[in-house]
Amino acid sequence: LSSLIKYSPNDTQVTLVSEMIQRPDLKDNDRCYLHYTFAKMNEDLGDLDAAYNHYVAGGKLRQKLLSYDFKQDELIFNQVKNIAPKLKEFAFDKHIEAAINTPIFILGMPRSGTTLIEQIISLHPSVKGAGELPYINDLGGSIARGLSNIDHQSLLKFRNSYLDKINNIAEDHFFVTDKMPQNFLFLGLITSVIPEAKIIHVKRNPSAVCWANYKQYFKKDIGFSHSLEDIVSYYKLYDNL
């Protein structure tokens, strides 16, 4: 709710949250929410030191609640890089039977502007805006990381399963956008197995995108975003990949 409001000094919600956050009986999850809320409030009020301190406190709690360790992401990036050459060996050529509905992947760092790009593209009558679809990771994440068998049959199964999923969404549209930002991890898989796909890589100033991630309380598990050190390190992994 705090993200919907521009706070002023006399707002009663500011006083309420400042009192609530002092309670010793709060669960970590509740305290974490309040830290992010109070950070937003203080930012609106111009007290940037207080805002920053609450972002730090909230981020530490969030990483604790997620049991996050940066090595988890380092491992994924290394697996993806190591398996990419093998995926290329099995790559389908562009003469494969084309998809009924062509996917448009809009990807990049979270908070880079993928939502805006999807909104623009999906205004076209031939494009269905499908939002952040989990299918690439769910159906092919283990392949892209080398955790499951890689051969023509497994890749064809992944291709057909993914295309079936978007066909069910497409309705009467020829193109379907998939704007899961972190599909950038699976570009090797996508380009090898869905060669007709369109790919839009959205880039934003690194400082701006890292800060935007750091301030955001993500509902989903994006553990790297809750520490400035981790978000900068993650950005470097992304840029290198």
Side-chain angles (χ1 to χ4, degrees):
L1 291 174
S2 67
S3 66
L4 304 177
I5 300 169
K6 177 73 172 179
Y7 288 94
S8 59
N10 298 322
D11 197 307
T12 56
Q13 288 187 16
V14 176
T15 304
L16 180 62
V17 171
S18 68
E19 293 172 353
M20 289 176 66
I21 206 168
Q22 301 299 325
R23 286 173 47 181
D25 60 335
L26 285 174
K27 295 179 180 178
D28 282 349
N29 192 53
D30 294 330
R31 191 177 300 281
C32 184
Y33 276 126
L34 287 172
H35 275 304
Y36 277 93
T37 301
F38 207 36
K40 165 64 166 60
M41 289 175 166
N42 278 283
E43 194 167 351
D44 285 352
L45 298 176
D47 190 344
L48 302 186
D49 286 340
Y52 178 75
N53 289 336
H54 284 285
Y55 282 129
V56 171
K60 286 180 179 178
L61 270 178
R62 183 67 173 145
Q63 287 195 323
K64 174 187 172 184
L65 290 164
L66 294 173
S67 300
Y68 176 76
D69 185 334
F70 186 71
K71 292 179 181 177
Q72 300 167 2
D73 280 317
E74 279 187 314
L75 175 62
I76 293 172
F77 275 85
N78 287 332
Q79 289 171 328
V80 166
K81 288 174 75 172
N82 289 335
I83 211 66
K86 187 169 184 179
L87 287 171
K88 195 172 182 179
E89 289 178 19
F90 288 94
F92 300 159
D93 63 36
K94 295 193 176 183
H95 298 295
I96 191 169
E97 183 178 352
I100 298 171
N101 306 105
T102 303
I104 303 174
F105 292 97
I106 304 169
L107 44 81
M109 282 289 291
R111 311 299 294 175
S112 63
T114 53
T115 300
L116 176 60
I117 298 302
E118 182 182 55
Q119 288 172 344
I120 294 168
I121 293 172
S122 61
L123 291 172
H124 193 286
S126 295
V127 179
K128 170 71 174 181
E132 297 185 3
L133 301 178
Y135 305 138
I136 291 291
N137 184 40
D138 290 352
L139 299 170
S142 62
I143 296 174
R145 295 172 63 185
L147 303 178
S148 61
N149 189 44
I150 297 175
D151 55 28
H152 181 83
Q153 185 175 355
S154 64
L155 294 179
L156 186 61
K157 180 181 178 181
F158 161 74
R159 173 186 166 86
N160 290 338
S161 297
Y162 179 81
L163 294 178
D164 284 345
K165 291 282 189 184
I166 66 167
N167 289 347
N168 291 334
I169 297 171
E171 298 169 349
D172 58 347
H173 301 85
F174 295 113
F175 298 89
V176 177
T177 60
D178 181 342
K179 75 154 220 82
M180 180 63 75
Q182 284 164 286
N183 276 339
F184 72 77
L185 280 164
F186 308 119
L187 277 172
L189 178 64
I190 292 169
T191 56
S192 295
V193 180
I194 316 175
E196 66 270 50
K198 310 300 181 184
I199 297 170
I200 300 171
H201 179 194
V202 185
K203 296 183 180 181
R204 183 182 177 190
N205 175 276
S207 297
V209 79
C210 288
W211 181 243
N213 273 271
Y214 185 62
K215 287 172 53 177
Q216 183 74 18
Y217 182 98
F218 288 104
K219 293 179 182 179
K220 53 190 176 183
D221 183 352
I222 305 184
F224 66 82
S225 71
H226 304 293
S227 155
L228 282 179
E229 182 180 352
D230 287 347
I231 181 62
V232 170
S233 297
Y234 189 93
Y235 186 92
K236 290 178 179 177
L237 288 176
Y238 147 79
D239 192 47
N240 178 266
L241 182 66

